[in-house]
């Protein structure tokens, strides 16, 4: 038995001594120092140090030590992964070294006085699931620390971690602590790719200080008059008209005034009229705008109805626009043209406004982007990166950012050589994306495969046609709903769908009905927060719950399809035969109503379904008998089969596209479609992934629908494949019953 073991038992069991450290010290620094003394004494170590993690600066800071030089406290810092301490933190694992200075990962600090010490042992400090720092001990002798020391140190941390975490929290609240950008800015930050392409530009914080115009003090030098107020109202009106025009050019879906509420409020006598009245009564113009604006914001915010609470956002946005227009045009802050926007949260309407202002890229800090935000950024060709790094919020406004959205890489103040490299890369990507494609797609053994396009916005149709897509396998209808603060009317939807069908010029066009709910929440719909929205009122469930909304959309589609051929209608997230039949009956009823009203329409559309839920697999043959076609939505199918939210980092390892259950489920769907002679396609992300295309073709999929930018690469992959080889490979994948076996086979794909 190691001779130090009895001391370890004292360290583990003497709770009275531990309690004294927590309760008797007069300040946080003394508490941490006392902790290092206690641990050093029990482990007979010459050095004990506590490093705490500061997330805003992404660094570990020496906060207390017994044995190192006192001046090292608060000056010795390391990033996660740097030095043995940083490695311990990043790996979340104990590190024990008998001769630490000889370890390549050891980091030496001149001001710490570590020269005499050889043996090194450190353990991560955790509070629940969060890593908060590192406790390290050192000794002059070589190979001093043992397995008993590891166990003792780990146990000591379980007893002290809570108190240390509280100390860290209280230190962060100290008056001397300010979160400003550190002098040494990082050169590179790694994020998660949320789109494609690259962009560079000066940083823009679109929401920074914006609300201070409305909620902050009045400007001390603002000698404004009634005429300045009138001019600000006029400027705001022209600004909204200009924004609307730019929206319509970039997004035909927004051709109807999405700023309707803004314009109506701007002309309301109880709003701007009351402001003018207060100014006539002697109230300062800025104060008059703020007073009336806050009154309406408070009124709408207090409403129990969601759509009324949405109006508070409209009032706030409009009021801030008015207040900003009091400033002289020459002194107003420049727009975001050519900039990279950095924000903590973002919604579809935010992206549209940023795009209208000429933004080149977006970084979302902390949290994830909902799928429709990601899709919208891709459709608008705006590079988007999700980066959980708070340092981005504290960067100087003169910082230049370079985004590589495909890799999730963010470069800060890149040099000219790096900028030129990405400029060349961008040009190559553009050439590849628009490269000439064959009008039809054949495998290496001359088997034909149909390539269709997924379309999110009408602006993508021209690229899809240029790349010779053979039709639209999925037109998502959500965005006209998402960019408004109320349901689009039948007339508004009719104009959108008519443009879609006209531009497709008779090519196959598949329209998916509204896929609202879940992460695509329409706040104006009377939505109530759900504990698990992905298992809640979404997609076809939402449409059948709100039949008036569903009927309006169906009528608009049937009317727009008048005189057109090859138009298909598709329902999302069908879970039962009853649901499909009820949905199809509504289509028939809408067609009958239009006929009785004498309105031109198309009553012979093919009606199919998205297959996204495991519940349909057991009755798939019955579905194949009543549906005109299937489209497999692999994103949701995998999510629901695996019980793993595809947007949740914590369960990312459980979202497995090659899982045997997924493989066999897809095979079951294809066989049922083939037995009943109906078309089956794949329109999820598996359809453009070279890892999964061989399996999909191998089980009999002959139609793939992908976002337009992926068409060239998908065609290239298919032309290099032999379907005979793909079928043999798929047979092996279907025989695999374990995930690890499927993973091994994936590496052998044709």
């Amino acid at each position: 038995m190691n001779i130090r073991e009895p001391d370890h038992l004292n360290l583990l069991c003497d709770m009275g001594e531990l309690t004294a450290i927590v309760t008797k010290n007069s300040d946080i620094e003394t508490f941490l120092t006392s902790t290092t003394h206690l641990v050093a004494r029990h482990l007979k170590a010459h050095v004990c140090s506590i490093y705490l993690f500061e997330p805003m600066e992404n660094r570990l800071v020496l906060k207390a030590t017994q044995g190192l030089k006192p001046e090292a406290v608060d000056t010795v810092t390391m990033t996660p992964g740097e030095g043995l301490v940083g490695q311990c933190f990043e790996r979340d694992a104990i590190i024990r070294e008998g001769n630490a200075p000889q370890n390549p990962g050891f980091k030496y600090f001149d001001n710490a006085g570590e020269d005499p010490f050889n043996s090194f042992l450190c353990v991560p400090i955790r509070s629940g699931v969060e890593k908060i720092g590192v406790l390290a001990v050192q000794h002059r002798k070589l190979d001093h620390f043992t397995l008993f020391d590891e166990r003792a140190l780990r146990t000591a941390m379980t007893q002290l971690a809570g108190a240390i975490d509280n100390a860290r929290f209280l230190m962060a609240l100290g008056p001397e602590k300010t979160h400003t950008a550190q002098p040494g800015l990082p050169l590179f930050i790694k994020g998660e790719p949320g789109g494609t392409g690259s962009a560079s530009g000066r940083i823009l914080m679109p929401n920074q200080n914006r609300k201070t115009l409305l909620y902050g003090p009045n400007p001390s030098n603002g000698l404004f008059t009634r005429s300045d107020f009138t001019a600000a109202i006029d400027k705001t009106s022209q600004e909204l008209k200009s924004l609307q025009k730019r929206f319509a050019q970039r997004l035909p879906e927004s051709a109807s005034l999405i700023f309707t509420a803004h314009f109506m409020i701007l002309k309301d006598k109880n709003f701007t009229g009351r402001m003018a009245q207060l100014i006539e009564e002697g109230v300062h113009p800025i104060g008059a705008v703020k007073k009336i604006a806050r009154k309406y914001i408070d009124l709408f915010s207090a409403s129990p109805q969601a759509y009324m609470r949405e109006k508070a956002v409209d009032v706030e946005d409009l009021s801030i626009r008015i207040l900003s227009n009091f400033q002289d045009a020459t002194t107003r802050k420049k727009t975001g043209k050519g900039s990279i926007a950095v924000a903590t949260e973002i919604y579809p309407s935010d992206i549209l406004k940023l795009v209208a202002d000429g933004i080149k890229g977006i970084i979302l800090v902390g949290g994830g982007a909902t799928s429709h935000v990601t899709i919208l950024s891709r459709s608008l060709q705006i590079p988007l990166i999700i980066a959980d790094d708070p340092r981005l919020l504290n960067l100087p406004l003169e910082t230049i950012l370079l985004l590589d959205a495909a890799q999730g890489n963010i470069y800060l103040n890149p040099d000219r050589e790096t900028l030129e490299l990405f400029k060349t890369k961008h040009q190559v990507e553009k050439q590849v994306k628009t490269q000439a494609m064959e009008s039809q797609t054949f495998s290496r053994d001359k088997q034909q495969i149909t390539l269709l396009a997924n379309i999110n916005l009408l602006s993508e149709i021209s690229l899809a046609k240029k790349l010779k897509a053979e039709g639209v396998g999925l037109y998502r209808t959500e965005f006209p709903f998402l960019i408004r603060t109320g349901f689009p009317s039948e007339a508004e939807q009719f104009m959108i769908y008519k443009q879609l069908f006209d531009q497709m010029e008779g090519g196959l066009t598949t329209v998916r009905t509204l896929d609202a709910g879940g992460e695509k929440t329409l706040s104006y719909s009377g939505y109530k927060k759900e504990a698990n929205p992905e298992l809640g009122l979404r997609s076809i469930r939402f449409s059948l719950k709100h039949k008036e909304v569903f009927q309006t959309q169906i009528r608009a589609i049937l009317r727009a399809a008048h005189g057109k051929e090859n138009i298909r209608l598709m329902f999302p997230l069908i879970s039962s035969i009853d649901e499909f039949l009820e949905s199809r009956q509504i289509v028939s009823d809408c067609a009958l109503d239009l006929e009785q009203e004498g309105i031109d329409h198309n009553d012979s559309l093919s009606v199919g379904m998205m297959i996204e839920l495991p519940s349909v697999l057991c009755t798939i043959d019955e579905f194949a008998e009543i549906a005109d076609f299937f489209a497999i939505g692999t994103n949701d199918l995998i999510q629901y089969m695996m019980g793993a939210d595809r947007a949740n980092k914590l369960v990312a390892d459980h979202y497995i596209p090659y899982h045997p259950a997924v493989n066999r489920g897809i095979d079951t769907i294809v066989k049922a479609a083939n037995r009943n002679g109906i078309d089956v396609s794949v329109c999820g992300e598996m359809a453009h992934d070279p890892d999964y295309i061989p399996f999909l073709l191998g089980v009999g999929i002959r139609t793939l629908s992908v976002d337009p930018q992926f068409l060239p690469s998908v065609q290239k992959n298919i032309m290099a494949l032999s379907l005979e080889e793909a079928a043999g490979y798929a047979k092996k994948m279907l025989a695999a019953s374990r995930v690890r076996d499927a993973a091994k086979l994936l590496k052998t794909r044709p």
Side-chain angles (χ1 to χ4, degrees), residues 26-56:
S26 58
D27 56 57
I28 304 303
E29 290 75 12
T30 305
F31 157 71
L32 293 176
T33 302
S34 297
T35 302
T36 63
H37 280 279
L38 172 72
V39 176
R41 176 162 52 85
H42 278 282
L43 266 69
K44 293 184 169 56
H46 295 123
V47 175
C48 179
S49 305
I50 292 177
Y51 297 82
L52 297 183
F53 181 59
E54 296 185 350
M56 293 299 293

Side-chain angles (χ1 to χ4, degrees), residues 582-595:
E582 183 181 1
S583 302
R584 195 173 65 178
Q585 184 60 49
I586 289 175
V587 176
S588 299
D589 292 344
C590 286
L592 181 60
D593 289 342
L594 289 170
E595 182 179 349

Side-chain angles (χ1 to χ4, degrees), residues 471-486:
V472 172
L474 169 63
Y475 175 69
R476 300 180 173 97
T477 60
E478 290 78 61
F479 290 110
F481 291 79
L482 289 167
I483 63 177
R484 288 169 169 79
T485 56

Side-chain angles (χ1 to χ4, degrees), residues 533-549:
E534 290 301 313
L535 299 180
L537 190 65
R538 58 164 296 200
S539 301
I540 197 64
R541 299 172 183 177
F542 178 91
S543 295
L544 294 176
K545 176 76 171 178
H546 301 282
K547 286 190 174 67
E548 67 287 352
V549 176

Side-chain angles (χ1 to χ4, degrees), residues 51 75-78 82 106-115:
Y51 297 82
T75 61
V76 170
T77 66
M78 282 167 277
E82 184 181 12
F106 181 78
K107 186 174 178 65
Y108 177 77
F109 292 92
D110 290 332
N111 60 337
E114 293 182 285
D115 301 86

Side-chain angles (χ1 to χ4, degrees), residues 60 90 112 162 320-321 370 413 453 482 491 538 544 546 551 562 564 587 612 614 626 641 696:
L60 288 151
E90 185 174 61
I320 290 172
R321 288 181 182 276
T370 56
N413 294 322
L482 289 167
R538 58 164 296 200
L544 294 176
H546 301 282
Q551 291 163 348
H562 174 65
K564 308 294 183 183
V587 176
E612 302 163 279
I626 60 175
M641 291 193 83
L696 296 176

Side-chain angles (χ1 to χ4, degrees), residues 8 11-12 43 147-157:
H8 295 346
L11 179 62
L12 305 186
L43 266 69
L147 184 60
F148 290 116
D149 297 300
E150 286 189 21
R151 293 173 180 171
L153 210 56
R154 183 191 295 117
T155 304
M157 279 306 92

Side-chain angles (χ1 to χ4, degrees), residues 481 486-490 493 497 513-516 522 524-525 539 542-557 586 590:
F481 291 79
F487 290 106
S489 67
E490 180 180 323
Q493 292 184 67
Y497 304 139
T513 60
L514 180 62
D515 187 14
L522 306 178
Y524 55 80
S525 67
S539 301
F542 178 91
S543 295
L544 294 176
K545 176 76 171 178
H546 301 282
K547 286 190 174 67
E548 67 287 352
V549 176
F550 193 31
Q551 291 163 348
T552 297
Q553 181 178 36
I554 297 300
R555 285 173 59 94
I557 293 171
I586 289 175
C590 286

